[in-house]
Amino acid sequence: MAKRRILRKLLRILIVVCVLVAAIFALSLFVMARKDKEHERFYKTGKSVNQFLANYKHGLEEAFKKKDAAEITQFYSEHYAAPGRGRWVLKPDQDEGDVTCFTLKADGQDYTKYDLKNEFNDYLKGLASIQDIKFKIDMIEKVELERTVQLTVKFILDGKDQRDAVFQDRNFYRWYLINEGGSGAYDWKIVKDALVEGVRVGGDGRDSQGFETKEELAAIGIDYKHERDPKLNIKDHGSQLKFGVIEHGGGGVSAVDYNNDGKPDIFFADGKRSRLYRNDGADASGRVHFTDVTTESGLDGIDQAAAGIFADVDNDGYQDLFVSRYLAPLKFYHNNGPDAAGKITFSDWSTKMGFDPKDPKSTAPAVGKPSSIRPSP
């Protein structure tokens, strides 16, 4: 009898446990299903907003071609109202050599959709040509799934104005979107907007020496073309990148008189092959000419470079070179000065300076006083 009571008790306990497990499992399935639906709503909302930006970009391109602001204002709600938004006007900021900078400012008055049309028409009239337009989500600030979105948008336009001057507009807008579609459809409209910040950088498209095309640069001896490190190509089967954004690892340029002849030379830090160009001075016509001395100087083979920093580390009167690299150790090259033939060469002193060639984390140089930096014995 005692055994039977114990067995019945254990059976009841087992039944209760099974019921609890089944209930927990069913609840888990229910919660997961709800989460899946919520994730799907997030995905669809985000995808539709991205599509809205793509359509807006296309609308701006069409507005320029047709000279009709209606191609843009169609993306704004009939209920659009922006109290205190103000008209956005470019104000002169500063001039840097051949580059002119403007800042986009708002005058602070209330704005309606009619005001928008006039503003866009004036903007379009100032454009002679458009080279490229980009609209990107900078930040999603608030979202009510499938109904409203508040976000910051980055707008970039490269083009020429009516004076044939090249310029780039880089603006950040805050958009308040409302979905005017029904029954699961998406029809986003801008119901309010505001200027976060904006700048225009303009010039004549030529540098201080008057160079505009790669052919003109090649004529003075500079045939450098920036190349991305092939190891950063995420489309390559062998790429091991965890974050796709790093595939755009860049380079840099440094101007330095590495051979003490009084003329600035140029070093290009590059993802695939860094280059050093010696300044040979001006010819009879007054045009400066450069010679690629990358190989003869001992600096060939430098890849994954982000920047080149020159400093006379050992106080011998010649500029040495630090190379900051991404996903690779920092490099240091000692300037040996002129050899018997008068050529300047560099030697790789990375290990002497204490930079671990096997440590990819040593990527950023810190330069102190030249007298305080010495190679390891």
Side-chain angles (χ1 to χ4, degrees):
M1 292 295 292
K3 278 187 176 181
R4 288 182 179 180
R5 284 197 299 269
I6 292 173
L7 288 174
R8 284 197 296 268
K9 192 172 183 179
L10 288 174
L11 182 60
R12 286 195 294 268
I13 292 173
L14 182 60
I15 293 172
V16 171
V17 170
C18 289
V19 170
L20 285 174
V21 170
I24 292 172
F25 181 71
L27 181 61
S28 298
L29 290 177
F30 175 75
V31 171
M32 289 173 64
R34 290 193 61 181
K35 288 291 185 183
D36 285 344
K37 286 184 178 180
E38 187 176 3
H39 291 161
E40 184 179 5
R41 291 173 66 202
F42 265 111
Y43 171 75
K44 288 182 177 180
T45 299
K47 183 179 179 180
S48 64
V49 170
N50 271 317
Q51 185 60 52
F52 176 77
L53 263 66
N55 294 340
Y56 191 101
K57 172 189 172 181
H58 178 70
L60 183 54
E61 292 169 339
E62 288 299 304
F64 172 72
K65 292 176 183 177
K66 299 177 181 179
K67 305 302 179 187
D68 184 3
E71 296 289 337
I72 312 174
T73 55
Q74 65 174 313
F75 298 101
Y76 292 77
S77 172
E78 292 300 321
H79 305 290
Y80 172 88
R85 172 197 187 274
R87 182 178 179 84
W88 299 344
V89 182
L90 286 168
K91 303 285 187 180
D93 190 359
Q94 59 181 338
D95 291 339
E96 296 290 342
D98 294 329
V99 177
T100 302
C101 297
F102 298 86
T103 302
L104 197 60
K105 300 288 186 181
D107 64 15
Q109 66 186 23
D110 293 350
Y111 235 56
T112 66
K113 193 169 181 179
Y114 176 79
D115 299 314
L116 276 176
K117 186 174 181 180
N118 292 333
E119 182 177 283
F120 283 127
N121 276 326
D122 289 342
Y123 183 74
L124 293 171
K125 288 176 183 177
L127 301 177
S129 64
I130 294 177
Q131 180 182 354
D132 190 29
I133 300 176
K134 292 185 177 69
F135 271 102
K136 297 180 179 180
I137 296 176
D138 183 63
M139 181 182 299
I140 300 286
E141 298 174 346
K142 295 179 183 178
V143 59
E144 187 178 359
L145 293 180
E146 302 171 346
R147 298 184 63 185
T148 63
V149 177
Q150 177 182 320
L151 71 161
T152 305
V153 178
K154 184 177 183 180
F155 165 67
I156 301 175
L157 184 145
D158 295 291
K160 285 188 176 184
D161 63 20
Q162 295 298 336
R163 297 173 297 128
D164 204 37
V166 297
F167 71 90
Q168 182 181 82
D169 285 338
R170 298 194 300 269
N171 305 331
F172 288 87
Y173 309 134
R174 179 166 289 113
W175 281 356
Y176 300 81
L177 305 182
I178 185 170
N179 183 12
E180 296 185 350
S183 63
Y186 289 96
D187 183 18
W188 295 107
K189 299 292 184 183
I190 302 171
V191 71
K192 187 172 79 168
D193 62 347
L195 175 66
V196 178
E197 62 179 359
V199 63
R200 171 175 288 190
V201 180
D204 61 5
R206 307 175 73 87
D207 64 18
S208 60
Q209 290 292 324
F211 304 127
E212 187 172 52
T213 66
K214 62 181 181 181
E215 289 79 13
E216 290 178 294
L217 285 171
I220 66 165
I222 297 180
D223 58 353
Y224 169 77
K225 178 183 178 182
H226 171 68
E227 295 187 77
R228 187 179 66 180
D229 179 2
K231 294 186 290 298
L232 298 184
N233 187 354
I234 60 175
K235 296 179 181 179
D236 186 347
H237 179 71
S239 176
Q240 299 297 317
L241 294 179
K242 293 182 179 179
F243 302 99
V245 70
I246 203 171
E247 69 169 320
H248 302 290
V253 59
S254 303
V256 61
D257 182 10
Y258 83 98
N259 56 357
N260 290 354
D261 64 354
K263 298 184 289 291
D265 312 294
I266 301 176
F267 176 78
F268 291 100
D270 191 72
K272 188 174 181 180
R273 181 181 180 235
S274 300
R275 309 276 289 278
L276 176 65
Y277 289 87
R278 183 186 66 222
N279 187 334
D280 297 325
D283 58 20
S285 67
R287 176 60 62 91
V288 174
H289 192 274
F290 291 83
T291 299
D292 185 344
V293 292
T294 307
T295 302
E296 73 174 53
S297 66
L299 295 178
D300 209 356
I302 302 175
D303 62 358
Q304 295 176 258
I309 301 174
F310 286 86
D312 183 8
V313 170
D314 54 358
N315 289 331
D316 66 351
Y318 288 91
Q319 298 290 313
D320 309 299
L321 172 63
F322 290 89
V323 181
S324 175
R325 304 168 74 213
Y326 48 86
L327 301 178
L330 183 148
K331 303 287 285 186
F332 174 79
Y333 294 88
H334 176 257
N335 189 327
N336 303 317
D339 59 16
K343 294 181 180 179
I344 300 290
T345 60
F346 290 81
S347 296
D348 187 346
W349 278 19
S350 303
T351 303
K352 288 185 180 181
M353 294 297 290
F355 301 127
D356 186 350
K358 297 181 181 180
D359 182 9
K361 296 189 293 296
S362 60
T363 59
V367 181
K369 295 180 180 179
S371 60
S372 66
I373 305 176
R374 289 289 184 268
S376 302

